[in-house]
Amino acid sequence: MRIVIQRVSQASVTINKQVKSSIGAGYLVLLGIGKDDTEEDVNWLVKKVIALRVFDDEMGVMNCSIMDVDGDILVVSQFTLMGSYKKGNRPSWIHAAPHEISIPLYNRFCEALSDALGKPVGTGEFGADMKVELLNDGPVTICMDTKNKE
């Protein structure tokens, strides 16, 4: 699994000109699921997202987690994060999971993140043409990959 976390002041996802989800301060998480991903990847990422300390403390130092600031999270499926650009200029999606793997793992990630956060997590709609708006705060953008745990 690959994610891009963006610390935001606000974010929303719109489908067919209707706002599906919107959040205030917190994280916009773009989630890509690979064909070899499992529940273990979900669990590792959820722990990392919840514990990540990129919000300012009272001294202005990035030392607080999403839990510490009672922030919100919006998760948007993003199969293009799994793109391979090894050959040529047109990405290949060979590493992206098929729907029978990716939809259950996307749903499980959102559920586990919501449970850990202690409140509902906003979502997009898997496979939909989504318009994502955000006001990046910082900007702070973090990438994580369960196959390359740095």
Side-chain angles (χ1 to χ4, degrees):
M1 293 180 125
R2 293 179 183 160
I3 61 173
V4 174
I5 301 171
Q6 295 182 305
R7 188 179 74 181
V8 298
S9 297
Q10 62 188 36
S12 65
V13 62
T14 300
I15 303 166
N16 295 324
K17 299 183 181 180
Q18 298 291 320
V19 175
K20 166 88 167 62
S21 295
S22 64
I23 63 166
Y27 293 146
L28 169 64
V29 177
L30 305 175
L31 172 67
I33 301 169
K35 61 185 176 186
D36 298 327
D37 290 333
T38 67
E39 180 89 15
E40 184 178 314
D41 296 291
V42 168
N43 295 335
W44 185 85
L45 272 180
V46 167
K47 287 178 187 173
K48 283 296 195 181
V49 170
I50 291 297
L52 185 66
R53 298 184 319 176
V54 295
F55 292 94
D56 291 347
D57 63 15
E58 61 280 347
M59 302 298 289
V61 177
M62 285 196 288
N63 198 30
C64 295
S65 71
I66 191 89
M67 300 293 289
D68 296 329
V69 299
D70 192 30
D72 297 323
I73 299 177
L74 172 60
V75 180
V76 176
S77 62
Q78 185 79 45
F79 81 93
T80 59
L81 287 176
M82 303 310 294
S84 173
Y85 45 86
K86 187 174 181 179
K87 293 182 179 179
N89 294 318
R90 184 172 183 263
S92 165
W93 315 119
I94 192 167
H95 300 297
H99 284 180
E100 58 270 12
I101 293 172
S102 55
I103 292 173
L105 285 177
Y106 170 78
N107 290 334
R108 180 64 195 125
F109 179 79
C110 293
E111 290 166 8
L113 201 52
S114 179
D115 289 345
L117 190 61
K119 60 182 172 180
V121 168
T123 62
E125 183 178 309
F126 196 92
D129 180 22
M130 296 176 275
K131 308 302 179 204
V132 179
E133 293 186 73
L134 68 136
L135 182 56
N136 201 321
D137 180 15
V140 174
T141 303
I142 306 288
C143 300
M144 293 183 188
D145 189 327
T146 60
K147 306 303 186 240
N148 185 19
K149 298 174 181 170
E150 294 184 29

